[in-house]
Amino acid sequence: MTGDVLLELDHVTIQFGGLKAVADLTLQIGRGELVGLIGPNGAGKTTVFNLVTGVYAPTVGRILFEGRPIQGMKPHAIARRGITRTFQNIRLFASRCCRDNVCIAAHQHARAGLADAVLRTRRFEDDERDIQRRAGELLEILGLSAWADTPAAELPYGQQRRLEIARALAGRPRLLLLDEPAAGLNPQESDQLMHLIEDIRQRFHLTILLIEHDMRVVMGICRRIAVLDYGVRIAEGTPGQIRTDPRVIEAYLGEEVHADLGAGG
Amino acid sequence: MSEFLQQLVNGVTWGSVYALIALGYTMVYGILRLINFAHGDIYMLGAFFGFYAPGLIVVAGARAGEWLEGVHRALHGVPVLGPGVGRLAAALSAAGSMPNALEAVLVLVIAMVGCGLVGIIIERGAYKPVRGSSRLAALITAIGVSLLLENGGVLVFGPDPKFFPQIIPSSNIALGGGVTISNQQVIILVVSVLLMFALRFIVTRTRVGKAMQAVSHSHMAASLMGISVDRIITFTFVLGSMLAAAAGVLVALQNPKIEPYMGVMPGLKAFVAAVLGGIGNIPGAVLGGLVMGVAEVLVVGYVSPTYRDAIAFVLLIVILLVRPAGILGKAQAEKV
Amino acid sequence: MRRTLWLAGVLVVLVALNVTLPQLLNPYLFQMVVLCGINVILAVSLNLVNGFTGQFSIGHAGFMALGAYGSAMFSLHVGQGWVAALEAAHVPGVVAQGFALLLALLLGGLLSALAGYLVGLPSLRLRGDYLAIVTLGFGEIIRVIITNVDAVGASRGLPGIPGWVNFFWVGLGVAAVIFLSLNLARSTHGRALFAIRDDEVAAEALGVDTTSYKVLAFVLGAFFAGVAGGLFAHYLSYLNPNSFTFLKSIEVIAMVVLGGLGSVSGAVLAAVVLTLLPEVLRPVKDYRMVLYSFMLIVLMITRPQGLLGNRELSLAWLTRRRRRAGAPSA
C-alpha cells in the first residue's frame, strides 16, 4: 500500500434495522490504483458504493476522501468532490439522447448561472460550447459517436453500459466506481471493456474501484482485490493470493464462480 | 367537560365515517400506488343509490309479487308449496311497508352492491388501461373519472339537492353526564365497526385477503405464485367501493341532504385521514379517520366553523412534514 | 446585437397587435384572445414543474390566486395613487399605468414565488403522489383563506381593480414565459431538470443538486402563475375566489398533459385549444363538463404522451417534410 491514500473507509458499519449490511469495514484505496471488490451476491458490495457516494450515511465509522471526511454528505456534493459511479441496474436518462446524458454529467463544472442561460450571455455560449465539446470527445473515446443523437433508451445493451461510463467520466472524477460494468456482456465485449477500463484509467489519471462477478475481468485488470461476505471483509490481496485463499473459496462454495477461481490462468 | 365528551362522541361518529371511506383509499393505494380521486364520488353514489333504493324496493317487490302470484295460482291446490308461495307473493307486494330496520338494511345492501358494480366498471374501464403508463397519467385519469361522476351525477340526478328518506326516525339516548347520542349515531358506529371487522376478517383470514396482501407487496411475485393480479385488483376496488357506499348511506340517514358534489370534501378529508394513518395501512386508515373526525369536530366546536375544511389540510401538511409515512406507516426506501 | 434586434422586433409586433386587434376583433373574440394568453402563461409555467422536472404539482390555481389578489391589493391601495400623481405631473396615462401595472405584476409574481419557495422546500423531498396532495392542499388552503378574509372581499369578491391590461401586456407575459422556458430547456440547467425527471437518483449521483433544482422549477412556475393571476385581475377588474378552485388547477394540468409533458409549444397549443373548446361547446353547455372529463380519460388511455410528447413544434420538422416530398436536398 503506497503512500497517497485517496479513499479510506474507517471501521464503517451500516445497519438497516437488525441487519448489518456492511460490518466494521476498513479499506484503503491508493491514488491511481485499480481495485476490485468481489463477493457473493448480497455481500454488501453495492452498499459500499452507496456509502461512498452518499446515498447512505454509515451508522458507525468514517469515510475519508483525499483526507477529508465525506460521510453524511449529499450525493451531489460528493460527486463535486470528485467521485462518480455507474449503477448495477442501468440508470440512464432514457428520454435524452446520448450527448445530453453526458452533458448533464458535466453540469457540475458549468460556470454559467441561470440568468446567463436565460439571457444567452457570452459566458453561457462559451460554457455550452465547452460542455458539448467535451461530451463529443468522451463519446468518441467510448465509441458512441454514432449514437450521439439517439435516445438512450434505444441503445443496444452493450452501448448503454458504455454510456453509463461516459457519463461518469464527464464529471472529471478522480475516483470512479464501476458497479458490474461487464454484467450481461459476452466474452468479446468483456475483453473490450477490460481494455477500455485500463485505457481510461491511464488517460484520465483515474483511481478505479470495480465491483464485478466476471472473474476473468477482475483477475485480468485489478492489481488488488478485496473480498466481502455478509458485509465483512474476509480477504484482501493480489489476484494470485485471492484465487487460492481458502476463505474466499469457501465463501463462493456452491457458486459456479468456484470453478473459475480454482482454474483461472 | 360534558361538552367536551359530547364533542368526542360526535367526533368518533364522524371519524368512523371517514374511516370507512379512508379504507377504500388505502387499499387501492396499497395495491396500485394510485390515489383514487374518484373514491369520494363513490361515497356520493352510495347515498344516491340509497336514495333511490326504497322506490326500487317497492317497484321490484310489486313486480316480483305479481309474478309469484301467478305462480301461486298455477300451484292452486298443491299442499304446503301453494300457500307458501302465496304468502311470499303477498309479502313481496307489500314490500313498501316492511319494518324500518329491515328496509334500512336492504337499502344499505343495495347501495353497496350498486357501488361495487360501479367500482368494477371504473377499474376495468378507466384504470386498467393506464396501469402501464406513468403515475401522472393514472392520477389524471382518476381526476377525470371523479369529474365524470360528479358532472354525470348533475346530469342524471339533477343539480338540486335531494332529501334522503328518514328511514330511521331520530331519537336521542342519554349517556349520562349531559352527553347524548342519537340512535342514528349509534347505528353509524355499530355498522362501521361491523364492516371494519368484516374487512379485517377478509384480509387476514381468507385466501382472497391474503392474495390482496401479496399483490400489495409485489404484483410480479404474486402472479408468479398463481394469483390472478387483475382479479384481486378488481376485488379490492369492489371492497373499497362497498365501504364508501355504506358510509354514504349511513351519513345520509343522519344528514338527509344529498347532492352530486357531496363527495368532494369528505373524499378529500378521508384521503388525508388515510395518509395520516399511513397510506396502504389498513388499521392506519381507521386510526386516521378517527383522528380526523375528532380534530374536525373539536376545531368547529372550539375555534370556528369556517375553518372546518381547512383543518384537514393543516393536518395533512403537518403529517407530511413531520412523518410522511403516517402514524402507523413504514417508510419505504428505494433500492439504488 | 442580434438579440437586441429580436427583442425590438417582438416589442414592435406586440405594440402593433395591441393597436390593431381591438379594431379587428369584436369584444367577445378579443376577450378570448386575452384569456388564451393568460392560460398559455399558466400552462407553460406549470410545464416547467410537471413537464420539465416531472413533479406532481396540482395546486397551480393557488399561486395564480396569490398573484391575482396580491397585485390587485397593491394596485388598489398604492398603484392607483401613484398613477394619479404621475398623471398630475403630466406623465402620459399609458406610461403611468404601464409602470404601475408592471410593478403590480412583479409584486404578485414575487408573492407567489415566495409561496412556491415556502411550500416547495419542505415538500419536494416527498414522493410524487404526496407532493401532489400537498400542492392540492395548498391550493385549497389559499382559497379558504381568501374566502374568509374580509379585506380582500372574502366570498363577495374584490371589485374595482383598475383595468390596465391590454393585449400588449398579455402578449409580453406570454413572450416572456415562452422565452424563458425555451432558453432554459436548451441549457445545462434545463438538462438538469430533465435528468431529474428521468432518474432522480442518477442525476443526484452525477452532481445535480436535485432538491435545489426542484425548488427552482417550482418557484419559477409559481412566479409566472402569479403574473398570470395579476393579468387576470387587471383585465377583469374583479376577482372572486371561485375562479381559483381545484377545477382551475385541473384545467391547467389538462393543458400541460394534452400538449405533452415537457413540450413548450405543446403547452401553448393545448392552452389555446382548451380555452376555446368550452366556448365552442357552449351549445351543449350541460354536457360540457361531462365531455371534458371523458376527454381527459380517453386522452390518458390512448395517448398519454399528449399531442407533441417530448418534442417541440419546430420549423425544422416542416422543412424536413418538404425535402422528403421530393424537393432537392441542400
Side-chain angles (χ1 to χ4, degrees):
Chain A
M1 223 353 290
T2 46
D4 194 359
V5 175
L6 192 66
L7 177 74
E8 182 176 347
L9 277 82
D10 184 21
H11 295 289
V12 170
T13 298
I14 184 163
Q15 199 154 345
F16 296 107
L19 173 71
K20 279 192 185 164
V22 171
D24 201 38
L25 179 67
T26 297
L27 190 64
Q28 285 174 340
I29 315 285
R31 196 180 291 274
E33 283 200 278
L34 208 174
V35 178
L37 189 61
I38 65 175
N41 274 319
K45 309 184 292 293
T46 301
T47 311
V48 170
F49 272 23
N50 287 338
L51 283 164
V52 172
T53 53
V55 176
Y56 300 143
T59 323
V60 178
R62 301 180 311 157
I63 303 174
L64 299 157
F65 181 65
E66 294 181 328
R68 284 141 70 202
I70 58 171
Q71 74 274 358
M73 278 173 69
K74 295 194 72 180
H76 72 267
I78 291 181
R80 279 163 193 261
R81 283 281 185 91
I83 304 178
T84 62
R85 69 177 290 179
T86 63
F87 292 90
Q88 190 176 10
N89 303 311
I90 294 179
R91 281 183 175 262
L92 293 173
F93 303 125
S95 71
R96 307 279 103 199
C97 63
C98 292
R99 195 195 305 277
D100 272 354
N101 265 268
V102 179
C103 285
I104 289 167
H107 172 74
Q108 50 173 297
H109 297 291
R111 289 174 300 274
L114 188 64
D116 289 310
V118 171
L119 298 173
R120 290 287 197 254
T121 61
R122 194 53 176 298
R123 182 155 49 166
F124 169 78
E125 303 285 355
D126 289 341
D127 222 29
E128 191 65 14
R129 208 187 357 248
D130 279 342
I131 293 176
Q132 296 283 351
R133 187 179 44 83
R134 185 168 169 81
E137 283 170 9
L138 280 173
L139 288 174
E140 179 83 43
I141 294 171
L142 272 284
L144 292 168
S145 297
W147 281 279
D149 294 307
T150 314
E154 292 173 22
L155 255 59
Y157 180 77
Q159 315 324 94
Q160 284 186 340
R161 283 254 171 234
R162 283 173 172 253
L163 183 58
E164 276 237 329
I165 296 175
R167 237 181 21 168
L169 289 173
R172 294 189 213 150
R174 289 189 285 291
L175 174 64
L176 179 63
L177 304 178
L178 297 173
D179 199 340
E180 298 195 35
L185 297 183
N186 64 42
Q188 292 98 297
E189 289 170 326
S190 301
D191 271 343
Q192 286 174 343
L193 182 72
M194 282 165 62
H195 287 119
L196 179 69
I197 293 176
E198 187 52 45
D199 186 26
I200 61 175
R201 188 181 73 85
Q202 287 181 8
R203 187 199 289 255
F204 296 112
H205 309 292
L206 292 173
T207 307
I208 298 181
L209 183 57
L210 173 74
I211 293 178
E212 218 0 284
H213 275 296
D214 185 337
M215 284 304 140
R216 223 164 46 86
V217 172
V218 176
M219 299 294 169
I221 54 176
C222 297
R223 315 294 159 75
R224 195 155 64 90
I225 299 174
V227 187
L228 287 185
D229 192 24
Y230 291 111
V232 175
R233 189 188 69 186
I234 59 173
E236 191 180 334
T238 65
Q241 292 168 333
I242 294 299
R243 199 180 293 132
T244 51
D245 188 317
R247 286 165 302 175
V248 175
I249 295 175
E250 191 190 320
Y252 275 97
L253 200 66
E255 302 208 9
E256 284 175 38
V257 135
H258 170 58
D260 297 322
L261 269 185
Chain B
M1 185 57 185
S2 72
E3 189 194 329
F4 180 71
L5 286 175
Q6 181 68 62
Q7 301 285 35
L8 267 185
V9 166
N10 296 341
V12 168
T13 312
W14 263 115
S16 30
V17 170
Y18 286 141
L20 283 179
I21 308 175
L23 281 168
Y25 276 118
T26 227
M27 288 196 292
V28 167
Y29 187 86
I31 225 169
L32 274 185
R33 303 284 180 269
L34 167 76
I35 301 174
N36 182 9
F37 268 102
H39 194 59
D41 302 297
I42 305 278
Y43 157 87
M44 175 270 290
L45 278 182
F48 272 89
F49 284 168
F51 172 77
Y52 287 110
L56 187 68
I57 293 173
V58 168
V59 169
R63 291 286 166 75
E66 274 176 41
W67 179 79
L68 265 184
E69 183 54 36
V71 174
H72 174 220
R73 278 194 287 270
L75 291 175
H76 185 71
V78 175
V80 180
L81 200 57
V85 171
R87 269 196 283 273
L88 188 57
L92 283 173
S93 300
S97 52
M98 69 169 78
N100 280 342
L102 183 60
E103 181 165 18
V105 169
L106 211 50
V107 163
L108 188 66
V109 168
I110 290 175
M112 285 169 76
V113 167
C115 285
L117 284 173
V118 171
I120 296 178
I121 295 174
I122 292 177
E123 195 270 316
R124 288 283 148 125
Y127 292 153
K128 183 152 178 239
V130 293
R131 230 184 270 168
S133 307
S134 69
R135 297 269 278 286
L136 195 59
L139 207 68
I140 292 172
T141 308
I143 293 176
V145 172
S146 170
L147 288 176
L148 187 62
L149 288 177
E150 285 160 18
N151 292 292
V154 169
L155 220 52
V156 170
F157 305 132
D160 303 321
K162 308 241 181 308
F163 289 87
F164 205 82
Q166 275 245 312
I167 301 179
I168 312 269
S170 143
S171 72
N172 279 331
I173 307 163
L175 290 176
V179 180
T180 60
I181 189 168
S182 77
N183 58 343
Q184 289 159 343
Q185 283 179 311
V186 171
I187 292 171
I188 292 177
L189 281 169
V190 167
V191 173
S192 304
V193 169
L194 280 175
L195 286 173
M196 289 184 224
F197 270 110
L199 181 71
R200 186 170 172 76
F201 180 80
I202 293 177
V203 170
T204 53
R205 296 291 176 87
T206 65
R207 275 184 57 193
V208 177
K210 298 211 179 130
M212 280 170 69
Q213 293 185 50
V215 174
S216 77
H217 277 293
S218 162
H219 287 215
M220 173 86 73
S223 78
L224 287 173
M225 300 276 169
I227 296 175
S228 164
V229 172
D230 283 344
R231 289 237 213 102
I232 297 296
I233 291 178
T234 307
F235 183 72
T236 309
F237 264 90
V238 168
L239 274 188
S241 302
M242 288 173 80
L243 291 173
V249 171
L250 290 173
V251 168
L253 281 175
Q254 189 187 26
N255 304 23
K257 181 169 155 197
I258 62 173
E259 44 93 16
Y261 288 99
M262 68 184 270
V264 175
M265 265 304 152
L268 222 49
K269 290 176 190 173
F271 177 73
V272 174
V275 172
L276 205 59
I279 192 129
N281 184 307
I282 289 180
V286 176
L287 179 63
L290 289 173
V291 170
M292 177 65 75
V294 171
E296 185 173 305
V297 166
L298 287 179
V299 162
V300 169
Y302 292 113
V303 179
S304 158
T306 44
Y307 289 106
R308 184 169 166 211
D309 292 343
I311 184 68
F313 297 111
V314 170
L315 278 176
L316 177 72
I317 307 255
V318 166
I319 198 78
L320 285 181
L321 290 181
V322 168
R323 199 187 152 86
I327 301 176
L328 295 181
K330 278 181 298 238
Q332 284 178 319
E334 188 187 353
K335 187 168 195 312
V336 175
Chain C
M1 191 53 211
R2 246 188 76 208
R3 233 174 333 121
T4 39
L5 271 180
W6 253 109
L7 198 62
V10 168
L11 284 175
V12 165
V13 167
L14 285 180
V15 171
L17 283 174
N18 188 35
V19 170
T20 56
L21 274 184
Q23 322 278 10
L24 292 173
L25 301 171
N26 64 49
Y28 172 72
L29 284 180
F30 185 74
Q31 178 165 9
M32 281 296 106
V33 170
V34 171
L35 288 178
C36 275
I38 292 177
N39 280 336
V40 165
I41 299 177
L42 285 170
V44 174
S45 63
L46 185 63
N47 190 39
L48 287 173
V49 182
N50 289 17
F52 284 17
T53 324
Q55 303 300 299
F56 285 18
S57 173
I58 59 178
H60 220 49
F63 296 120
M64 186 187 179
L66 272 180
Y69 276 90
S71 61
M73 290 304 282
F74 175 77
S75 292
L76 282 173
H77 296 278
V78 178
Q80 268 183 328
W82 287 1
V83 168
L86 284 171
E87 283 178 337
H90 301 297
V91 174
V94 175
V95 174
Q97 289 171 6
F99 169 70
L101 179 65
L102 190 61
L103 209 55
L105 290 177
L106 285 177
L107 283 173
L110 283 174
L111 181 64
S112 296
L114 181 65
Y117 184 76
L118 292 174
V119 171
L121 196 54
S123 322
L124 284 163
R125 55 187 170 84
L126 297 173
R127 275 213 318 272
D129 323 349
Y130 286 160
L131 178 67
I133 297 306
V134 168
T135 51
L136 168 62
F138 163 76
E140 285 299 290
I141 290 178
I142 294 292
R143 193 179 55 80
V144 167
I145 291 177
I146 291 176
T147 316
N148 282 306
V149 173
D150 267 335
V152 291
S155 52
R156 297 181 316 272
L158 186 66
I161 307 169
W164 294 327
V165 164
N166 51 28
F167 178 80
F168 175 77
W169 291 105
V170 175
L172 194 63
V174 169
V177 76
I178 293 179
F179 178 71
L180 177 116
S181 293
L182 284 177
N183 279 354
L184 188 64
R186 293 177 201 146
S187 77
T188 184
H189 304 283
R191 282 193 293 264
L193 293 177
F194 286 118
I196 295 173
R197 179 183 71 180
D198 280 355
D199 194 321
E200 198 172 324
V201 171
E204 180 85 21
L206 291 170
V208 174
D209 184 350
T210 54
T211 307
S212 295
Y213 270 94
K214 288 194 282 187
V215 172
L216 175 72
F218 213 69
V219 166
L220 281 177
F223 175 77
F224 279 103
V227 168
L231 287 169
F232 182 73
H234 290 80
Y235 177 72
L236 285 185
S237 294
Y238 168 71
L239 283 179
N240 188 295
N242 287 331
S243 307
F244 305 107
T245 59
F246 182 48
L247 196 63
K248 183 72 192 168
S249 293
I250 294 176
E251 283 174 22
V252 183
I253 293 175
M255 291 173 198
V256 174
V257 173
L258 176 63
L261 284 168
S263 167
V264 176
S265 37
V268 173
L269 212 61
V272 171
V273 167
L274 287 181
T275 310
L276 297 176
L277 197 63
E279 300 304 312
V280 168
L281 288 180
R282 243 186 220 286
V284 285
K285 191 172 176 304
D286 289 339
Y287 295 86
R288 180 170 74 96
M289 281 310 297
V290 174
L291 286 175
Y292 188 81
S293 34
F294 234 169
M295 181 209 84
L296 275 184
I297 300 174
V298 168
L299 184 68
M300 286 297 101
I301 295 177
T302 56
R303 200 180 159 84
Q305 72 270 35
L307 288 172
L308 291 174
N310 235 338
R311 301 173 314 223
E312 299 288 350
L313 206 59
S314 71
L315 295 169
W317 178 77
L318 288 167
T319 49
R320 241 189 297 140
R321 285 199 72 187
R322 259 190 63 210
R323 242 188 275 151
R324 253 190 275 156
S329 45

